[in-house]
Amino acid sequence: MRLLVLLLLCVSAAPGPVAGADRSCSDLRQFYTGKGFILTGVPQNEISGEHLRMCPQGPTCCTSTMEENLSVLATKETEGLIREAGRSLQAAFNALYRSFDTYFTDLHSHSERSLQEILSPLGPLYSQNTRLYTDLYVDLRQYYRGSALNLDETLSEFWSGLLERTFKSSVSLSEEYLECVAKQQETLRPFGDVPRDMKTKVIRAFVTARSFIQGLVISGEVVRKVSQVSLSPECMKALMKLVYCPHCRGLSSVKPCTNYCSNVMKGCLANQADLDPEWQNLIDTMIQVVASFSMEPSLDVVLSSIPAWIYEAIHYQQENMESFTAKVYQTCGHPGEPGTGSPVLNEHRRKSSSLTASDYKPSPTAGLRLEMQVSDLSSKLREMRQYWIQLPPGNNIQDKCWNGITKAKYLPEVMGNGLASQINNPEVELDITKPDMTIRQQIMQLKIMSNRLKNALEGNDVDFQDASDDISGSGSGTCVGGQCRRNRPGLYPYPPDNNPVRAASSPPIRLCSLLLLFPLVLLLRQR
C-alpha cells in the first residue's frame, strides 16, 4: 500500500544514546516531556519490567501508564500520517478532475460558440430556432455533469423539434398533423443519415467523458473513506512495540529491522491492501477510457463537429424538401385539407455551399491539446496504480536492528498482502474471518465504477446515480426501458473537496512521498 510510506518510521533512526552503565532514564525523561507528557511517575533510573503489556518485559524506563500513553501516541501519529497520505492522493485526483473538466468544458463552449458562425448562412432557419439549438447544448452539458438524461431520447427530441419547426415554417399546422409528420421521420429520413451518425458519436463521447470524471470522483472518495478507518487495538500494540518500545529499553538509536517493520504494517493495513485488485482494475479501465478519447473520431472532433452536423442535416432537408413533402402528403393527407394548414415549404431555402461534418476538422491546436491531455492523464493514473500495496524504497536493514525484543536479526518471514495472508503474522493478531466492513463497501464501489466505465467504452448509456452512502439514493444503474427522469440536477458539478488540498503539478506518487517525508523527518528528530 502506498500508505506504507509509513515504513520510513522503520528505516530512519532517531538520534539518541543507548542507556549507559548507570541505567539512567534521563534521555527518556527528556524524550517523554518532548512529546508533551508530564514527568510525574517517570522513573529516574531503570526499573524491572514485569508490569509491561506491550513492550518486552525486562529492565525499562517505562511504567504501565507511560506504555499506554506512548501506545495511544503511536496510533494517533500513524493514523495522522495515513490521513495525510490520503489527502495527498485526493489532491492528485482533484487536480486530474480539474484538468480534464476544464479541457472538456472548453471544447463544449467553443462548439456552442461556433454554432452561430456555421449556421448563420441559413438565415431564419437559424435565427428562429436559436432556443432549440441552445437547449441541446444545455442538455448535453447537464448530462456531462451527471443529470439522468437519456441521451438517445434527448437527441431524438432535438431532431423531432427541428423537423417540426422547419416543416411547419410560418404556417400553423394542427397537432395531429405534426404528429403524423413526426412518425414519418424514421422511414423518410428528412435529415438524411446525419441524426443517426451524430447520435452514435455524440453518445459515445459524452458517456465516456462523464464516466471518466465519475471515476475520478469515486476514486478520491474511496481514498478519503479508507484513510479515515481507525487502526485496530492489535495494531495499536504492534505499533507501540515497533516505534516506542526501543526507547523504553534504552535502544532509541537502533533502527527497526526492515522485515519486522513490513510485517507490522502489513498486519495493520491488511484490509486496505485488499483494495488492490479492484483498485488496479479501476485504474486500468480509466486508462482505457482516456485512450479512447483520441480514437477516431476523437473527442475534440466530435464536440467541434456538432454545429457542422446540424448544418449538414438542415442543408440536406432543404435540398430534399419537395420529395419529403410529397411523401408526407401521401401518408398524412394534403395540408390544404380542413384543419391541417398549409406550410410554406421553401420560404427560407437558400443556395449555399454545403458543409459536411466529415469535412470539418478542429484546429491543430485542439488536437495537440487532446494529445497532451491523454498523455498526462494516463501517466499520472499509472503512478496511482499500486497505491495500496507498493512499499517505498528504504534501507534493507536485517542485522543488528530492533526486532521487537532486542538488537538482533529478525527471523520470521515477511507476510503477503491482504487480510487472508495475515493468518500467521507474528506481529499483529488478526481474525481473517472478520474483514472491515467500511473497506469492503469501498471495494464494492470500485467494482461498480469499473463496470460503469467498461459499459461506457462500449458506448452504453448509463444513469450515474451515485451509490455511495454519502449521497441520497441507492443507485439506479441503467435507465429502465430507456426511460430516465429528465431535469434531475447534476450530481457532480465539481469534485468533492472535503479536505481542500491544493495539488501541485508533480506526479501524484512523488507528491505523496514528499508531503509525508518532511513531517516524518521532523517526527523522528523529536524521538
Side-chain angles (χ1 to χ4, degrees):
M1 169 182 181
R2 191 62 196 178
L3 295 179
L4 290 182
V5 69
L6 295 170
L7 280 175
L8 288 169
L9 286 167
C10 306
V11 297
S12 301
V18 178
D22 58 357
R23 303 200 180 271
S24 169
C25 292
S26 59
D27 291 313
L28 178 62
R29 287 167 64 86
Q30 182 179 356
F31 167 80
Y32 194 65
T33 55
K35 289 294 181 180
F37 299 110
I38 61 175
L39 288 176
T40 303
V42 178
Q44 295 283 351
N45 298 297
E46 283 188 340
I47 58 177
S48 61
E50 293 84 356
H51 57 279
L52 297 176
R53 294 295 177 264
M54 289 173 261
C55 295
Q57 294 186 346
T60 183
C61 284
C62 290
T63 64
S64 295
T65 300
M66 294 171 65
E67 186 183 42
E68 183 63 31
N69 289 342
L70 290 173
S71 172
V72 172
L73 178 63
T75 302
K76 287 183 177 179
E77 289 173 338
T78 303
E79 289 178 340
L81 291 170
I82 291 173
R83 285 191 294 272
E84 181 62 27
R87 283 194 291 268
S88 298
L89 188 59
Q90 279 182 269
F93 275 115
N94 286 344
L96 290 181
Y97 181 106
R98 287 191 292 270
S99 175
F100 179 77
D101 184 63
T102 299
Y103 169 74
F104 189 85
T105 53
D106 283 352
L107 279 180
H108 187 279
S109 298
H110 182 267
S111 177
E112 189 171 12
R113 289 193 300 270
S114 299
L115 194 72
Q116 181 176 2
E117 177 184 347
I118 293 177
L119 299 188
S120 57
L122 297 174
L125 282 175
Y126 169 70
S127 60
Q128 293 179 6
N129 299 316
T130 302
R131 179 63 181 273
L132 187 67
Y133 306 129
T134 301
D135 285 349
L136 173 63
Y137 276 92
V138 169
D139 283 344
L140 292 175
R141 184 180 293 106
Q142 287 183 346
Y143 175 85
Y144 167 72
R145 292 295 185 199
S147 292
L149 295 172
N150 184 302
L151 274 189
D152 192 293
E153 288 183 355
T154 298
L155 292 170
S156 294
E157 289 172 4
F158 166 75
W159 292 113
S160 295
L162 187 58
L163 173 62
E164 176 183 326
R165 286 172 176 267
T166 54
F167 187 81
K168 184 177 179 180
S169 190
S170 61
V171 178
S172 176
L173 296 174
S174 68
E175 289 296 326
E176 292 79 6
Y177 194 86
L178 290 174
E179 285 182 16
C180 183
V181 173
K183 290 178 181 179
Q184 311 311 310
Q185 187 169 352
E186 186 66 28
T187 56
L188 300 181
R189 298 189 299 115
F191 299 110
D193 293 326
V194 173
R196 183 167 50 192
D197 186 41
M198 174 179 161
K199 180 184 294 185
T200 300
K201 294 178 172 63
V202 167
I203 287 178
R204 181 176 293 276
F206 276 81
V207 167
T208 53
R210 184 173 76 162
S211 70
F212 179 67
I213 62 166
Q214 175 81 3
L216 294 176
V217 171
I218 292 296
S219 299
E221 278 295 284
V222 167
V223 172
R224 181 183 68 83
K225 292 176 183 178
V226 172
S227 299
Q228 292 175 347
V229 172
S230 299
L231 299 175
S232 67
E234 292 76 14
C235 177
M236 293 174 62
K237 296 176 183 177
L239 285 171
M240 171 60 195
K241 187 177 176 183
L242 172 73
V243 178
Y244 288 130
C245 285
H247 291 270
C248 293
R249 294 296 299 270
L251 299 173
S252 60
S253 63
V254 180
K255 298 178 181 180
C257 302
T258 301
N259 288 350
Y260 169 43
C261 191
S262 294
N263 275 342
V264 171
M265 301 313 298
K266 283 177 182 288
C268 285
L269 301 173
N271 282 282
Q272 287 87 334
D274 280 341
L275 285 155
D276 179 64
E278 286 302 331
W279 177 264
Q280 292 203 30
N281 184 32
L282 176 59
I283 296 296
D284 287 344
T285 309
M286 281 201 287
I287 291 173
Q288 292 178 44
V289 170
V290 170
S292 74
F293 294 150
S294 57
M295 294 179 181
E296 293 297 333
S298 61
L299 187 66
D300 57 337
V301 169
V302 172
L303 267 71
S304 300
S305 297
I306 292 175
W309 269 314
I310 295 174
Y311 180 95
E312 181 182 351
I314 296 175
H315 186 272
Y316 179 92
Q317 182 206 29
Q318 293 302 295
E319 290 294 322
N320 297 275
M321 180 62 86
E322 292 180 3
S323 173
F324 173 73
T325 302
K327 293 175 182 178
V328 169
Y329 289 170
Q330 291 177 4
T331 305
C332 302
H334 196 281
E337 296 174 4
T340 61
S342 179
V344 180
L345 300 178
N346 298 310
E347 179 181 349
H348 303 308
R349 184 172 174 180
R350 285 191 173 196
K351 294 293 183 181
S352 60
S353 59
S354 177
L355 171 68
T356 64
S358 59
D359 296 331
Y360 182 78
K361 300 292 182 185
S363 67
T365 304
L368 178 62
R369 190 178 176 193
L370 174 61
E371 182 180 341
M372 294 175 61
Q373 187 73 208
V374 169
S375 176
D376 186 57
L377 291 171
S378 298
S379 63
K380 288 179 178 175
L381 285 169
R382 286 191 183 95
E383 290 168 350
M384 300 174 180
R385 191 172 181 272
Q386 292 187 310
Y387 176 80
W388 300 104
I389 61 169
Q390 184 174 327
L391 300 179
N395 297 325
N396 188 20
I397 307 170
Q398 303 294 352
D399 297 309
K400 296 181 180 180
C401 48
W402 173 250
N403 65 5
I405 299 175
T406 187
K407 182 181 180 181
K409 186 174 182 178
Y410 182 76
L411 299 177
E413 64 176 333
V414 177
M415 299 294 101
N417 296 311
L419 185 60
S421 300
Q422 308 309 311
I423 187 170
N424 294 317
N425 191 318
E427 308 306 333
V428 185
E429 184 177 346
L430 293 171
D431 185 349
I432 64 171
T433 66
K434 295 181 179 179
D436 185 279
M437 295 313 297
T438 296
I439 293 178
R440 296 296 133 173
Q441 290 170 358
Q442 298 315 303
I443 292 174
M444 183 58 65
Q445 284 294 302
L446 295 176
K447 186 175 297 187
I448 291 171
M449 192 62 240
S450 294
N451 289 334
R452 290 175 173 175
L453 284 161
K454 289 171 183 176
N455 276 323
L457 283 170
E458 299 298 322
N460 295 328
D461 193 6
V462 290
D463 176 13
F464 283 107
Q465 171 74 35
D466 184 60
S468 72
D469 54 1
D470 278 356
I471 298 179
S472 60
S474 58
S476 56
T478 57
C479 301
V480 179
Q483 300 297 318
C484 294
R485 297 186 304 278
R486 292 177 59 84
N487 301 323
R488 191 176 70 188
L491 296 176
Y492 294 101
Y494 47 81
D497 218 351
N498 301 289
N499 296 296
V501 181
R502 295 185 63 85
S505 57
S506 307
I509 294 301
R510 190 178 308 158
L511 174 67
C512 179
S513 299
L514 288 175
L515 287 177
L516 283 171
L517 180 60
F518 293 111
L520 277 169
V521 171
L522 292 174
L523 179 66
L524 291 167
R525 287 183 183 277
Q526 295 173 3
R527 292 183 177 161

